[in-house]
Amino acid sequence: MRTGAHGRRRFLGLAAAALVAPLLPRPARAQAGARIVVVGGGFAGATCARSLRRADPGLDVTLVEPNPTFTACPFSNAVLAGLRDLRDQRFGYQALVAEGIRVVHAAATAVDPRGRQVRLADGTALPYERLVVAPGIDFRWEAIPGYGEAAAQQMPHAWKAGEQTLLLRRQLEAMPDGGLVVMAVPANPYRCPPGPYERASLIAHYLKTTKPRSKLLVLDAKDSFSKQPLFTAAWGQLYPGLLEWVPLSHGGRVIAVDPATHTVSTDFERYRAAVANIIPPQRAGRIAEAAGVADRTGWCPINPVTFESRLQPNIHVLGDAALAGAMPKSAFAANAQAKVCAAAVLTLLRGGTPPDPVLVNTCYSLVAPDYAISVAGVYRPKAGQLADVEGAGGTSPLQAPQEVRSLEARYAEAWFRTITDDVFG
Ligand SMILES: Cc1cc2nc3c(=O)[nH]c(=O)nc-3n(C[C@H](O)[C@H](O)[C@H](O)COP(=O)(O)OP(=O)(O)OC[C@H]3O[C@@H](n4cnc5c(N)ncnc54)[C@H](O)[C@@H]3O)c2cc1C
């Protein structure tokens, strides 16, 4: 994309300017110094800020992110299993600053869409021509009775990587052999559809190798899930008798928890867990609601060509916060959406019409350290949504030799290195 925009300018400048320039309705550069504010420095926001600034160094790009260091969720399940250090999940913003992006470490607390201003926690107001909102997810604390922010200190969600990941890891380490680990998995939509099942697999791996008399119970609020045949086959092969998945129709939905007694209740049973990992239902990061871009679902409807909000003009929404049709909430998707959005914002600032994009997503899941499976999808706008391009995606084969699983585990690591380098490196 960067090469394309740059190449286009060179072409116009060197070869055909005399012929073409009189026909151009506007200059090929965006409004000089146009102010773009990006809220959220994760996979979506940091990618978007970087893509904008690289495509047009004349833009005034500000990235608003409270944390000086970003902690990535992909591969954080490997940290839980003791296969990886949390330090390998952490990334700074120095490279973005070096590229001329103004990085402000503060939380955005309000947005005035009419006055086109973002307000920060310290009271500062940031004016914009275009705003990009990419705050990831927040939790619906009220959704499971008994489960709130305080309960998460006893029964970690570990669905935002960082302290919660370390807390759950410490609890698993401290648990005696023979303990019951309970996971609660929400209904769709939520961040990273295959993530809970990768987590179940890697916790099972940890138990099998260090506490083999223990048991893992996965209580699910749905009856089917991403890459299910592949996960189920792998669990039967690697973790028989250790990992049990309970679907919605068999009483899998968690209806209440009691952190004081570590009790997890479903419609039919009450379980006393040695370790309970509760992944609660989710919604777009809170600032989305404050900006008026979240609808009643708690997520943000967008135009699939530009990622502009359907509810507020001049505000774009990316990543987990967006309702992106068939596209899952993943880091890969967030990164891809951010590039499409950056190109669209530039085109709009130049007075043009953004073309229909094609987006791609791949999600790897580790089932054991040397065993991974994947799903890929291709998406394009259709009837106002991002829709699957039929026949263009799929999963790893169900029947495959171990060397294929092993290769996919290596691809997964290479994917993580590449994407984090693309965003933060
Ligand atoms: C266990 C687990 C495993 C996963 N594995 C994979 C995987 O293998 N592959 C994959 O593609 N995806 C994976 N994901 C999903 C991936 O982490 C998310 O989809 C991705 O992080 C979404 O990017 P985002 O930019 O929308 O949100 P985030 O990456 O969460 O970034 C949001 C940022 O916004 C900031 N923010 C929030 N509110 C404000 C505010 N008010 N003001 C300023 N800043 C704010 C936050 O601090 C944060 O830095 C996994 C997720 C989990 C939980």
Side-chain angles (χ1 to χ4, degrees), residues 39-45 64-67 70 73-74 76-77 106-108 134-136 159 191-192 199 287 319-320 329-332 334 363-364 415:
V39 171
F43 284 100
V64 180
E65 163 61 52
N67 302 309
F70 177 74
C73 286
S76 65
N77 287 328
W159 217 241
R191 155 177 285 182
C192 195
R199 173 171 293 179
I287 189 66
D320 287 355
K329 298 185 185 302
S330 78
F332 199 144
C363 273
Y364 293 98
W415 169 81

Side-chain angles (χ1 to χ4, degrees), residues 14 58 60 98 180 229 255-256 264 285 307 314 320 408 413 423:
L14 298 180
D60 178 349
L180 174 67
I255 56 163
V264 180
F307 287 86
N314 306 307
D320 287 355
E408 290 223 76
E413 288 211 20
V423 184

Side-chain angles (χ1 to χ4, degrees), residues 178-194:
L180 174 67
V181 180
V182 176
M183 278 181 68
V185 182
N188 293 320
Y190 61 92
R191 155 177 285 182
C192 195

Side-chain angles (χ1 to χ4, degrees), residues 49 56-57 92 106 175 179 292 295 311 391:
D56 189 342
M175 185 184 85
D295 69 12
L311 305 178

Side-chain angles (χ1 to χ4, degrees), residues 38-47 63-67 69-78 80 89 93 104-110 118-120 133-138 157-161 165 190-196 198-199 227 279 282 285-288 318-322 328-335 337 361-366 412 415-416 419 424:
V38 180
V39 171
F43 284 100
T47 305
L63 178 65
V64 180
E65 163 61 52
N67 302 309
T69 306
F70 177 74
T71 307
C73 286
F75 272 89
S76 65
N77 287 328
L80 291 178
Q89 299 294 113
Y93 293 94
V104 178
H105 289 300
T109 52
V118 178
R119 190 155 303 273
L120 307 185
V133 174
I137 54 145
D138 265 312
H157 53 75
W159 217 241
K160 288 188 181 186
T165 315
Y190 61 92
R191 155 177 285 182
C192 195
E198 177 188 70
R199 173 171 293 179
K227 294 182 255 187
I279 305 169
Q282 297 152 35
R286 206 159 287 129
I287 189 66
L318 295 177
D320 287 355
K329 298 185 185 302
S330 78
F332 199 144
N335 177 262
Q337 293 169 3
N361 176 66
T362 306
C363 273
Y364 293 98
S365 300
L366 285 175
W415 169 81
F416 184 73
I419 198 157
F424 298 103

